[in-house]
Amino acid sequence: MVVLAFVRQAGYCSNARTPPEADVRVLALGVLLASMGCAMPYAYSFHSENRDARSSAKPTQREVLDDADVRAEILVDPTGARAILLDLTNKTDQVLQVEWAQITMTGSDGSSTSPRPHVDLGWILPGATMSARLVPFALPPSGDRAAGYQGSRFELVVPMIVRREPKSYRYSFVVDVRPI
Amino acid sequence: MRTRALFGFLVCGCAPQFPLPMTAAQLVQYNSGPALVAYLAQSDASPTVCDLRALSPHVPRMTADMRAALVDGMVEGKINPVLWRRCADVLLERLPRDEIPPLFDELGRAYRKILANSDLEKNPSLAGRLATLHRLYLDRPAGLDSNPSARASWFEDLRAALAKGQLGPVAAPFAQELVATVDVENGRWQGRTVDAAMMDALAASGNEMTLTRFVERLPSPELREQAQRRIVRVHIALSPFQEVRDGSAAVEDTVIREGHNRIALKEHPLLSATLDPSKTVARDVLVRQRVWAQNATLLGYAASRSTLSVLPEVSFRGALWAKLQKISRPVSVCEHWKNLDPSPCIAADDVSLDNPVAYRDSGGDFHFKDEVGVSEVVALAKNDKFVLPVRIGGRPAVSLNWGLSYERPDDLAFNETSSGRVGPRLKIRVQRPTATHFVFSVSAPQGTYAVVVDEANIHDFHIVSRGAPGSSGATGSSGSPGAAGSECSDGERGGDGGAGEDGGRGGDGGEVFVDVACGGALCPDTVDLLQQIILSVGGLGGAGGSGGAGGPGGPGGSSRSPSTHTNSYGESVTDDQGCSAGANGSAGSNGASGSPGRPGRPGKVAFKFVPAEGT
């Protein structure tokens, strides 16, 4: 029972974090995983499809998307933080309001979620940057369902009021799924 | 209809299946939870079926069966969460107060089930459905909640699960937000008492998220109004309308009092209007007529999907933009009061649609009657398109034009049924209000029938006066049985059957008088066409009677045994040789069948040109 609880908390299979003090648990976990024929774990990376996007070199780095008004740095982490990490910089000379409660993430399979900042946020002052951790956004970490996301697409839509005009920023991503 | 669906449920032991598309009126007839789910699962379904006070067809009440089905329908992914939320919102607005706690109990049951599902941590769709339940609970109107006892124990469990770290990274934020919101209901936020200074600070940082929580969940109406004012101030600060920013105090009062900043069209007359195509719904309309019942169902279809569905609702908020005199920028239709939008706007009741089957609901959106009478079917045929002219303040503004087609109706066949009688006399008026539609109005002895036929289907459609079939000839008499033979002799032959009677003559087709109002079309071409589809047909001749069966032959006489005696010498002496039995007589011949009757003759079909209506 203890082992099962640990597996559930730590994630899935061999990429699970192993507390150093839990040698006995690790042993039990190994026995358990061997007996259950555990599914292959995968890592996701989301690469921007927007023109002029600066793609990250590593999966843990943010994609940078820029226009004259807004700079967005985005890291989608559906298995670790189970969140979208979004930094927005207001490049205008007026306050920029983000409709934080209206953000959506839509998959090419038609699924749509509305991740929200984990703390309430307001507008972004001219020249300022605001960091948001949009939760939840989770995908399967292992097995066939994870592998099935290879090549799929997602669109993050962030409605904003920029220079007093409503505008929807659409950030498109293609997913790369690799075994770890 | 309900019995049929229920029967299917009992027989197969699974969820009942319903014929689709299902209109709102049909849903009302089914009146069950599974039917509500089936309706809402359709493309373009309208949440007004959940509005217990709607003008349009809606569920008469929310039974326990419907409540459970509605919640499960969303949780199981059958109902689109956005549509579901709109249905739930209107239910919260319209349900009697004592029916609200059971609904929230049902929602709570589903919420807990998803929260305990380990798949939540890796399935974005499941997280999306949980978020839908979550937002409904957090955004609900003040004073509405589940039963207090159930709520208390549930929140206790939730706090314990959070404290023990039993929830995963996806589940935990939901639980944390729920718990934090309970604090707002007690007038506290992040450990501090909510007051005007806190709200001012939130407004100064443009934090609508927290202020919105306050509007929805603070305990007193006064505090909630204070939060509303701060949101309006944030919106005014962001407004692109100079006149809004210049008159901020008055605009704030107006928005708080009325929910929006409506423009008086008498002072600011309409200059021009446009529709934003990206926000305007576009569909094509199919009319499915039931010619004998003289009514029809309107259905919708779109190039982007393969199936027919119900007609969508039409909202002009953000889609219809009007330039008004002395207003600096184009304005649209006023948003829902919850949005606290200070932008100048056109009140929903200043917008109208000139279409015989369109009507506006209490929320300002337009709907279409999906079950209509024949007069509306005919009225729609006056245009090639399903035209939706939009008026603002009574003035023509813009027009939406959807495709319009009529499914091929059943033939209008008027058949005389009394043997040999002439077909019904028909008087038909044909109009062609547009090149693509034919409108037929048929006066027959049993009533008047109107039907619209698309040009594409006209060759497959018929109007017919048909004479009755002739009477069938009587069967001939049966032959008499032959007489039985006497002892040792044969039976006699049976009598022959009588001949069958000839069938009667079919009735002639009835007279048909056709008035043709060609409108813009070429009359000779139209008449050529009509001659192929408007027919008078004689009835079939009656079948000849069968010949009577020949009588059976008489049975042969019985046999006789030889007789002997023994004389005085002890010898056997034959007195009588006896005889064998007689043969049965042969059967009589069957009578000849009667001849079939002659068919009736076609009646007269006369065409006359008449002026089109209005010329």
Side-chain angles (χ1 to χ4, degrees):
Chain A
M1 197 62 185
V2 171
V3 173
L4 281 173
F6 171 68
V7 170
R8 191 175 299 139
Q9 203 168 28
Y12 299 84
C13 307
S14 58
N15 64 333
R17 288 173 279 118
T18 51
E21 73 281 8
D23 291 347
V24 176
R25 287 183 183 176
V26 170
L27 182 62
L29 177 63
V31 172
L32 180 70
L33 296 185
S35 66
M36 65 193 279
C38 191
M40 174 78 76
Y42 288 91
Y44 290 78
S45 35
F46 283 64
H47 299 290
S48 173
E49 291 195 305
N50 292 61
R51 281 187 302 165
D52 305 329
R54 270 173 278 156
S55 291
S56 57
K58 295 179 185 174
T60 51
Q61 288 179 341
R62 299 184 181 220
E63 302 279 311
V64 180
L65 301 111
D66 232 350
D67 71 5
D69 299 325
V70 181
R71 174 187 168 93
E73 296 173 59
I74 306 171
L75 176 65
V76 183
D77 181 6
T79 54
R82 291 182 169 87
I84 300 165
L85 309 177
L86 173 66
D87 286 1
L88 289 174
T89 302
N90 176 5
K91 296 164 72 176
T92 74
D93 57 357
Q94 299 176 36
V95 291
L96 183 152
Q97 182 66 302
V98 180
E99 307 280 8
W100 295 109
Q102 308 297 326
I103 293 173
T104 58
M105 182 72 148
T106 304
S108 47
D109 61 355
S111 64
S112 182
T113 58
S114 303
R116 293 163 66 104
H118 76 296
V119 293
D120 290 356
L121 298 175
W123 57 34
I124 308 174
L125 295 172
T129 297
M130 193 168 273
S131 296
R133 183 165 166 267
L134 305 175
V135 290
F137 183 68
L139 295 176
S142 60
D144 291 345
R145 282 171 63 196
Y149 279 98
Q150 172 61 30
S152 63
R153 288 177 159 73
F154 282 85
E155 186 179 57
L156 179 68
V157 181
V158 185
M160 303 183 204
I161 298 173
V162 182
R163 300 182 193 277
R164 303 186 186 282
E165 296 292 343
K167 200 170 172 183
S168 274
Y169 278 79
R170 294 173 178 276
Y171 303 115
S172 302
F173 300 93
V174 63
V175 182
D176 187 24
V177 183
R178 289 174 189 236
I180 48 176
Chain B
M1 194 181 277
R2 187 181 183 183
T3 313
R4 197 172 40 173
L6 189 62
F7 179 73
F9 174 70
L10 292 173
V11 167
C12 70
C14 51
Q17 302 289 312
F18 297 93
L20 298 175
M22 182 196 296
T23 64
Q26 288 164 341
L27 164 63
V28 174
Q29 286 180 287
Y30 290 126
N31 192 22
S32 71
L36 179 61
V37 173
Y39 173 83
L40 290 174
Q42 301 177 109
S43 303
D44 291 335
S46 168
T48 50
V49 298
C50 306
D51 183 348
L52 304 184
R53 286 184 236 156
L55 297 171
S56 52
H58 55 270
V59 293
R61 60 187 295 265
M62 187 53 47
T63 59
D65 151 63
M66 280 191 191
R67 216 163 39 221
L70 182 65
V71 174
D72 290 344
M74 195 279 289
V75 170
E76 290 165 9
K78 294 175 186 163
I79 305 174
N80 175 296
V82 176
L83 176 69
W84 183 90
R85 172 63 194 269
R86 293 182 61 200
C87 170
D89 279 341
V90 78
L91 276 175
L92 294 183
E93 217 172 297
R94 303 297 203 202
L95 275 179
R97 278 287 170 136
D98 63 336
E99 291 183 28
I100 297 285
L103 177 61
F104 276 114
D105 290 347
E106 198 69 58
L107 294 167
R109 174 188 61 78
Y111 194 105
R112 285 195 298 277
K113 198 172 159 188
I114 298 180
L115 211 59
N117 185 341
S118 61
D119 218 25
L120 175 65
E121 298 297 322
K122 51 192 174 180
N123 182 339
S125 297
L126 199 57
R129 290 171 214 156
L130 180 65
T132 303
L133 294 172
H134 183 79
R135 297 293 355 146
L136 178 71
Y137 186 71
L138 295 191
D139 302 346
R140 73 194 188 279
L144 306 184
D145 213 330
S146 53
N147 284 304
S149 56
R151 189 169 65 242
S153 88
W154 183 43
F155 271 91
E156 203 174 301
D157 292 349
L158 206 57
R159 285 179 201 276
L162 276 172
K164 291 177 188 168
Q166 289 173 326
L167 299 174
V170 172
F174 285 107
Q176 284 157 352
E177 192 176 19
L178 272 187
V179 170
T181 303
V182 172
D183 288 346
V184 179
E185 289 174 351
N186 293 319
R188 296 183 67 76
W189 177 246
Q190 295 181 336
R192 287 175 51 202
T193 300
V194 177
D195 56 17
M198 181 191 281
M199 289 195 241
D200 283 340
L202 290 167
S205 63
N207 190 336
E208 285 185 58
M209 291 183 80
T210 305
L211 288 168
T212 302
R213 290 182 202 283
F214 290 178
V215 168
E216 285 157 352
R217 299 269 63 89
L218 279 172
S220 76
E222 295 76 20
L223 278 172
R224 292 199 292 270
E225 188 192 306
Q226 287 301 312
Q228 282 181 332
R229 285 190 178 275
R230 279 20 177 232
I231 291 180
V232 176
R233 285 173 201 168
V234 170
H235 289 171
I236 289 174
L238 292 166
S239 175
F241 289 89
Q242 185 67 48
E243 54 268 52
V244 167
R245 299 199 299 274
D246 290 345
S248 58
V251 171
E252 179 183 315
D253 285 342
T254 302
V255 175
I256 292 298
R257 192 175 60 247
E258 298 178 15
H260 44 65
N261 184 15
R262 172 186 183 159
I263 292 295
L265 291 173
K266 280 188 180 168
E267 294 163 31
H268 302 275
L270 174 69
L271 298 174
S272 65
T274 54
L275 284 167
D276 179 346
S278 70
K279 294 188 176 167
T280 306
V281 64
R283 293 286 182 274
D284 294 317
V285 178
L286 179 82
V287 185
R288 179 171 285 170
Q289 297 170 87
R290 290 175 289 273
V291 290
W292 298 109
Q294 287 291 278
N295 56 30
T297 301
L298 303 186
L299 299 168
Y301 61 100
S304 57
R305 62 163 197 251
S306 58
T307 52
L308 270 178
S309 193
V310 291
L311 284 173
E313 62 183 10
V314 175
S315 172
F316 288 115
R317 291 187 175 90
L320 175 64
W321 292 93
K323 286 185 180 169
L324 305 178
Q325 220 171 69
K326 293 185 281 179
I327 299 292
S328 62
R329 300 164 56 89
V331 301
S332 191
V333 179
C334 297
E335 293 285 345
H336 191 276
W337 69 267
K338 267 189 162 184
N339 292 3
L340 298 170
D341 185 356
S343 306
C345 60
I346 301 167
D349 54 14
D350 279 333
V351 180
S352 59
L353 263 184
D354 285 349
N355 182 290
V357 300
Y359 63 94
R360 188 178 48 230
D361 69 17
S362 56
D365 294 335
F366 287 92
H367 300 262
F368 303 98
K369 289 196 272 182
D370 39 24
E371 300 292 341
V372 296
V374 69
S375 59
E376 288 150 325
V377 170
V378 171
L380 289 176
K382 288 178 182 165
N383 293 297
D384 280 333
K385 300 281 187 185
F386 188 77
V387 184
L388 300 166
V390 182
R391 288 175 176 269
I392 297 176
R395 294 190 182 191
V398 287
S399 189
L400 268 171
N401 292 302
W402 293 357
L404 172 66
S405 57
Y406 288 77
E407 197 173 58
R408 192 188 91 75
D410 289 341
D411 285 345
L412 274 173
F414 298 89
N415 299 330
E416 177 56 56
T417 54
S418 298
S419 296
R421 294 192 63 174
V422 175
R425 185 171 187 269
L426 304 181
K427 188 160 171 46
I428 302 174
R429 182 178 175 84
V430 186
Q431 290 177 281
R432 203 168 178 185
T434 71
T436 52
H437 298 139
F438 289 83
V439 178
F440 298 89
S441 175
V442 184
S443 296
Q446 58 264 59
T448 300
Y449 299 85
V451 62
V452 180
V453 184
D454 270 0
E455 189 192 25
N457 298 322
I458 195 72
H459 292 283
D460 298 325
F461 173 75
H462 299 95
I463 300 176
V464 181
S465 168
R466 181 175 284 120
S471 56
S472 297
T475 302
S477 57
S478 299
S480 56
S486 56
E487 189 180 57
C488 304
S489 58
D490 294 342
E492 290 184 3
R493 179 175 178 275
D496 292 338
E501 192 184 13
D502 291 345
R505 181 173 174 276
D508 293 339
E511 291 180 314
V512 181
F513 300 94
V514 187
D515 288 350
V516 185
C518 302
L522 291 171
C523 265
D525 290 351
T526 302
V527 170
D528 285 349
L529 188 60
L530 295 177
Q531 281 174 333
Q532 298 168 46
I533 65 159
I534 298 178
L535 307 169
S536 174
V537 178
L540 295 172
S546 304
S558 58
S559 60
R560 192 175 66 245
S561 304
S563 62
T564 60
H565 72 275
T566 305
N567 62 16
S568 55
Y569 302 106
E571 297 165 338
S572 177
V573 178
T574 300
D575 299 320
D576 182 356
Q577 294 293 331
C579 63
S580 55
N584 292 336
S586 56
S589 302
N590 292 336
S593 294
S595 303
R598 284 182 296 132
R601 290 173 301 213
K604 181 173 81 173
V605 181
F607 290 86
K608 186 173 80 175
F609 298 134
V610 298
E613 267 176 20
T615 60

